[in-house]
Amino acid sequence: GDSVTQTEGQVALSEEDFLTIHCNYSASGYPALFWYVQYPGEGPQFLFRASRDKEKGSSRGFEATYDKGTTSFHLRKASVQESDSAVYYCALGDYNYAQGLTFGLGTRVSVFP
Amino acid sequence: AQTIHQWPVAEIKAVGSPLSLGCTIKGKSSPNLYWYWQATGGTLQQLFYSITVGQVESVVQLNLSASRPKDDQFILSTEKLLLSHSGFYLCAWMGTANERLFFGHGTKLSVL
């Protein structure tokens, strides 16, 4: 079945550091890819999505580019702030994702002042 | 604007007791509805989805059931709770454009 792999389980950074979270997927065709962010005690919040090869999604300074060749959708941010501390989830929806999204294991990002 | 409301916010229940969690979506006609479960520190595991009133599909078996009695309401329940049911339960909806999932604030369940 479809799956999403996030390589980093936890990332610790200082403010103004560059953030990369790796996300690779396994699915047939052209799945839609998503990034969500979750703060403690809350539901996940949508960051952005992409559904075509080379399409770039971005929001709040975060960005990711859909790469079908490498089956990747890596999340990047040039300069993180303490308020970016949260858990980030990569997710996938296949052609009929009315049935729901498949989430990766999540990456806990801690940013220290 | 669409709003999603989950109830209760938190529950502490005994093993073997029944459970009912609810979710209501306002401002959106005929949404697709979803239940997700999250163990403490864990990922989001989809449990059920519903495309229309009265129809619910199970994604994973966890001794839970779900029902959609109204267009805007989604209920998660079980007659007998297990310790493994502890966690964070999230209701979500998606519009017909299938653009993204919108999550509620969740219900924290502790089974003792």
Side-chain angles (χ1 to χ4, degrees):
Chain A
D2 298 343
S3 66
V4 173
T5 301
Q6 289 179 239
T7 310
E8 299 86 359
Q10 294 188 72
V11 175
L13 300 163
S14 298
E15 283 193 321
E16 300 183 10
D17 278 355
F18 192 97
L19 169 70
T20 299
I21 301 175
H22 295 93
C23 172
N24 289 89
Y25 70 90
S26 174
S28 57
Y30 278 89
L33 301 172
F34 300 76
W35 277 104
Y36 278 80
V37 58
Q38 187 176 28
Y39 300 98
E42 298 182 9
Q45 298 175 19
F46 172 81
L47 273 177
F48 54 81
R49 57 161 270 178
S51 55
R52 299 185 307 274
D53 192 22
K54 302 298 183 279
E55 181 180 357
K56 181 177 172 180
S58 64
S59 175
R60 310 184 202 178
F62 293 90
E63 61 180 40
T65 300
Y66 191 130
D67 190 329
K68 185 168 174 60
T70 58
T71 60
S72 67
F73 194 53
H74 306 319
L75 183 69
R76 295 184 168 93
K77 186 174 185 182
S79 177
V80 295
Q81 301 301 311
E82 194 174 0
S83 58
D84 293 324
S85 297
V87 179
Y88 294 81
Y89 290 95
C90 185
L92 174 156
D94 69 13
Y95 72 96
N96 184 24
Y97 63 92
Q99 298 180 10
L101 303 183
T102 299
F103 286 80
L105 293 181
T107 299
R108 181 174 299 278
V109 174
S110 300
V111 181
F112 300 97
Chain B
Q2 300 86 6
T3 59
I4 178 169
H5 174 59
Q6 283 190 246
W7 73 91
V9 172
E11 278 266 47
I12 299 175
K13 304 279 282 187
V15 171
S17 63
L19 173 77
S20 181
L21 304 180
C23 170
T24 298
I25 292 83
K26 294 300 183 188
K28 183 64 185 177
S29 177
S30 302
N32 298 338
L33 298 176
Y34 308 84
W35 279 111
Y36 281 80
W37 171 75
Q38 191 175 33
T40 301
T43 189
L44 296 145
Q45 171 66 64
Q46 187 178 350
L47 302 176
F48 299 94
Y49 69 94
S50 173
I51 307 299
T52 189
V53 174
Q55 290 188 6
V56 176
E57 300 296 331
S58 173
V59 175
V60 64
Q61 288 292 331
L62 285 181
N63 293 307
L64 295 167
S65 60
S67 64
R68 187 170 178 177
K70 300 179 188 178
D71 187 52
D72 64 353
Q73 197 173 78
F74 207 18
I75 307 296
L76 184 71
S77 61
T78 183
E79 292 186 1
K80 276 190 174 182
L81 278 166
L82 306 173
L83 284 174
S84 57
H85 285 137
S86 292
F88 198 44
Y89 288 84
L90 290 151
C91 181
W93 69 272
M94 191 184 306
T96 51
N98 288 351
E99 292 187 347
R100 55 172 154 152
L101 279 179
F102 297 85
F103 285 91
H105 290 289
T107 295
K108 182 172 181 178
L109 175 67
S110 299
V111 182
L112 307 176

